[in-house]
Amino acid sequence: MAGMISAPGIQDQLRLVGWLRWRMFVNGLRIGSRKLELAVKIIMGAGIAVGALLWGPLMGLGCWYALSRNKPVIISIELWVVFGVWLVLPLVVTGFGAEANPVSLLRFPLRYSTFVLLAFAHGLFDPVALAAIYWLGCMVIGAAVASLGAALRAIPAFAALALLNLLLNRTIFTWLSRLLAQRRTREILGALFVLLMISFQLFGPLTQRYGKRAVPLLNHLSSAQNFLPPGMAASVLIEKDGGIALMEFAGLLAYCGLLGWALSVRLLSEYRGENLSEASRPAAGERSTVHAGWSFTGVPPTVAALFEKDLHYLLRNTTAYFTLLAPVIVVIFLSLNRPGPHARHPFLFNSSSMLYPMGIGYVLLTLFGFAYNNLGYDGAGVGMLLTAPIRFRDVMMSKNLLHIMIVAVEMIIVSVLVQFVAGPTPLLVVGVTLAGALWVMIANLAAGNLVSLYFPRKLQFGQMRRQKASGMAAAVTLGVQLPVMGLAVGAYLLSRWAGQLALCGAVFLVLAGAAWTGYRYVLNLVSDIAWKRRETLIQELSRTE
Amino acid sequence: MSNLAVETENLSRRFGELEAVRNVNLRVDAGQFFGFLGPNGAGKSTTIKMLTGLLEPTSGRIRILGLDFVNNPVGLKSQIGVVPEGLALFDRLTGPEYLLFAGRMYGLDRITAAERAQELLDFMGLADRGKSLIVDYSHGMKKKLAMAAAVIHGPKVLFLDEPFEGVDAIAAGTLKAMLNRMIARGVTIFLTSHVLEIVEKLCSHVAIIHRGELVAQGSIDELRSGVAARHAEGQKLSLEQIFLDIVGGERAAVPELSWLE
């Protein structure tokens, strides 16, 4: 046998990992679409970078102003901005998807020190972290312009805050990766993330409505910020009593120590090789009997079975619940935004006559996104649908049926909600809105069935990272949605202005009739299209990435 | 009337410049346990995908039980069962839900589908995981479930792409027992596998594909006698030896690795 060889040194290992990432990036560009994505990222990234660069001098200016005009609160606010951006943005960008993780390299003889350095490098070379460090640097310059003494205090204070942010960011990500390793916790986290995103929508109207009442509470809470890292870092800079400043600095270092310990616990268990797999767990007492499936009068048995399967899928897709919740939240949002009776544009928001069609419109707009990739969640199962002795027409019909059912339920909920928050909607408005909804619904289903077959894209359950539709699918979807919804909204507003709502309803019904003919035509084509495109369907929907 | 269960005529499939399968003429009699062998990348999966309708041939013809995918796709599909390469499961269903769904897709009424699903779950030893989602199953359990779904409607021809890959010895025993029962009932089974010992034990006939071309076809004894002249007289050749003789002849000398002393 050949003699034993020793593991490479830290520098060599780091260099190798750098090379690996570079090759993965370059090789990834062999796929044409990735080049396009890179071009888009470069353009967007350049825009964001310019914004971040311009923001730095403003931070420095703010720091100088705060110190020279004795307005310490500005420094606290700036440091909270840095702290918040550094922690929240990376989470939003990764969207609870797994980020690149050095754990995948542990099968090689990686030294623990290299592993730790790589974990820090992931946090440090994040664009958000680099921008935040740049802003802190600008603040140091601002402090130096105000006074040299302030700059000498700012350097250790901000360095400690940066270290703390880095440690906190890494601690959050390492604990998150533990939670994301298992399906159930991954889905719960994904759902919480969506809820958080939706809650942000309510922030504006709530502060508008209850802002004044919340001021005393906020004042009370602001005193607590002195015990939190950004407040402490600000105190080191602005506190006149040197002893207190030193105490605050020691407090910051204590936070760093605590986080360093929490992070080392995670990194060490990762390095030692913990088992976070989703391997099947032994489950006792799970035995269940198979119950006969559903049947519906007048519905072919295969369509009923497909419908049942799709409903199971929907009910197990926790993140989809929040998409279903979105229209309800938007109606609440719109009702909170309603101006008083003397507002300049009472026409738009101030009556149930407008809130009702807007709510229904939002339901259609939100929920018909699914119709344009209605095989996305089936994944590899599409292979089974293609080997089964069924017509693909039945598959699409069952999906359309479920879609209509969901939209109908949502429309009922929104209707009840609108009556509750804005009073009764005139019957004519209800009728015209429903006629418009019928046209929009049928037209979208027809187009959606075609787009789903021509541009399928696999969707992951419980994944909140942006699930990219193919660029072409997005363009076609927009190309259909815009004129359809635009026509519906335009016709409604115009006829309302002209006092001819009933005529608008009639036009919608005619359009719905035409769309129905188109829908049936498409439905008759889908079996052939699916058969001809079966290789693409299987390839796109069975992707493992 | 022809007794052929599977018949192909100059079946070819091209992926751009690469001709993955070239002029393959397969003949599988009804009731045969047929093994389709070949080295990695030889064209086995491509062929089985074409035979099950998951891939369109570039040229050539396929007839299964006298039917073809062009004129009667639904009729043909209802006669066959498939365990494809990626298993094609709906992993957000539970095992019982999936079997029930598969049964109904193949035209069983819901009561019969439920009864057969229950029986298959018991047979495969999956009944105790009735409430788990398939996504939480182990690989072996998924394979058994895919197999159960492929047979729930009582197909006349069963296509299995690597059915024993990643399956433990106990589960493999269960699967083999089921396949033998199906053969006894006149079902034709067409399988691909890398495990030549299993193929030798189960299959009566084999075909070998190499670099996209069919290089041998017949009963194992026929293949054995075909290569016997190149081996010592009286030596009983295993399927592995026959296989290596046919596809691996050119790799007679294994090169040395300089650093392995």
Side-chain angles (χ1 to χ4, degrees), chain A residues 400-415:
Chain A
N400 294 165
L401 269 178
L402 184 67
H403 223 113
I404 291 167
M405 194 191 84
I406 296 167
V407 171
V409 169
E410 286 277 313
M411 279 168 51
I412 291 168
I413 294 170
V414 167
S415 303

Side-chain angles (χ1 to χ4, degrees), chain B residues 117-245:
Chain B
Q118 185 69 64
E119 222 177 312
L120 280 162
L121 286 169
D122 288 332
F123 181 83
M124 296 286 188
L126 294 171
D128 288 342
R129 296 299 298 266
K131 287 177 186 162
S132 299
L133 296 185
I134 298 170
V135 70
D136 293 327
Y137 277 18
S138 69
H139 181 70
M141 291 163 73
K142 284 180 185 170
K143 205 124 212 184
K144 287 196 279 184
L145 190 71
M147 181 78 91
V151 302
I152 195 167
H153 58 295
K156 289 185 180 153
V157 182
L158 189 58
F159 290 96
L160 311 170
D161 198 352
E162 297 286 354
F164 301 105
E165 190 188 42
V167 174
D168 66 48
I170 302 167
T174 309
L175 295 182
K176 280 188 258 181
M178 189 183 75
L179 295 178
N180 279 324
R181 267 188 233 179
M182 294 184 77
I183 283 291
R185 293 182 62 131
V187 175
T188 309
I189 299 177
F190 185 103
L191 71 82
T192 71
S193 178
H194 282 111
V195 191
L196 297 179
E197 292 85 355
I198 291 180
V199 176
E200 189 167 11
K201 275 186 194 152
L202 290 176
C203 298
S204 57
H205 290 71
V206 293
I208 298 175
I209 187 169
H210 186 40
R211 293 178 180 158
E213 288 186 61
L214 205 62
V215 290
Q217 183 172 200
S219 70
I220 294 180
D221 283 337
E222 283 167 356
L223 263 58
R224 190 174 281 131
S225 58
V227 299
R230 294 196 287 271
H231 294 268
E233 202 175 325
Q235 186 187 358
K236 166 95 173 164
L237 294 173
S238 66
L239 182 60
E240 187 177 347
Q241 286 168 308
I242 300 169
F243 178 79
L244 286 175
D245 191 288

Side-chain angles (χ1 to χ4, degrees), chain B residues 45-83:
Chain B
S45 288
T46 304
T47 306
I48 207 167
K49 277 179 192 161
M50 288 192 281
L51 293 177
T52 52
L54 292 174
L55 198 63
E56 191 169 13
T58 310
S59 61
R61 236 165 48 119
I62 298 170
R63 289 183 78 78
I64 294 169
L65 300 168
L67 303 169
D68 64 65
F69 285 111
V70 180
N71 295 312
N72 192 0
V74 174
L76 195 163
K77 286 177 187 177
S78 64
Q79 303 293 320
I80 65 173
V82 184
V83 177

Side-chain angles (χ1 to χ4, degrees), chain A residues 67-88:
Chain A
L67 289 169
S68 50
R69 300 292 163 89
N70 199 24
K71 305 251 187 213
V73 71
I74 294 176
I75 293 176
S76 292
I77 291 170
E78 287 190 335
L79 292 178
W80 272 105
V81 168
V82 172
F83 183 75
V85 167
W86 195 331
L87 290 182
V88 176

Side-chain angles (χ1 to χ4, degrees), chain A residues 494-519:
Chain A
L494 199 67
S495 59
R496 195 176 135 91
W497 174 75
Q500 297 288 335
L501 261 186
L503 182 66
C504 179
V507 170
F508 282 154
L509 286 177
V510 172
L511 285 172
W516 176 246
T517 310
Y519 174 78

Side-chain angles (χ1 to χ4, degrees), chain A residues 65-191:
Chain A
Y65 183 79
L67 289 169
S68 50
R69 300 292 163 89
N70 199 24
K71 305 251 187 213
V73 71
I74 294 176
I75 293 176
S76 292
I77 291 170
E78 287 190 335
L79 292 178
W80 272 105
V81 168
V82 172
F83 183 75
V85 167
W86 195 331
L87 290 182
V88 176
L89 259 189
L91 275 178
V92 175
V93 171
T94 55
F96 289 102
E99 61 155 13
N101 193 335
V103 171
S104 59
L105 298 168
L106 281 175
R107 80 191 96 145
F108 302 113
L110 200 70
R111 291 170 195 273
Y112 180 63
S113 45
T114 313
F115 180 70
V116 172
L117 279 174
L118 283 173
F120 277 101
H122 275 299
L124 199 58
F125 294 111
D126 185 280
V128 178
L130 291 175
I133 291 170
Y134 162 69
W135 294 341
L136 288 175
C138 290
M139 286 180 72
V140 170
I141 294 170
V145 175
S147 89
L148 196 61
L152 289 176
R153 283 179 173 209
I155 290 170
F158 292 175
L161 184 67
L163 177 66
L164 182 139
N165 275 353
L166 183 63
L167 287 166
L168 189 54
N169 170 284
R170 287 298 83 198
T171 308
I172 290 172
F173 269 99
T174 47
W175 280 96
L176 261 183
S177 65
R178 182 189 165 85
L179 293 170
L180 291 172
Q182 271 149 359
R183 179 181 61 80
R184 198 167 288 275
T185 45
R186 189 166 57 236
E187 288 182 359
I188 292 169
L189 274 177

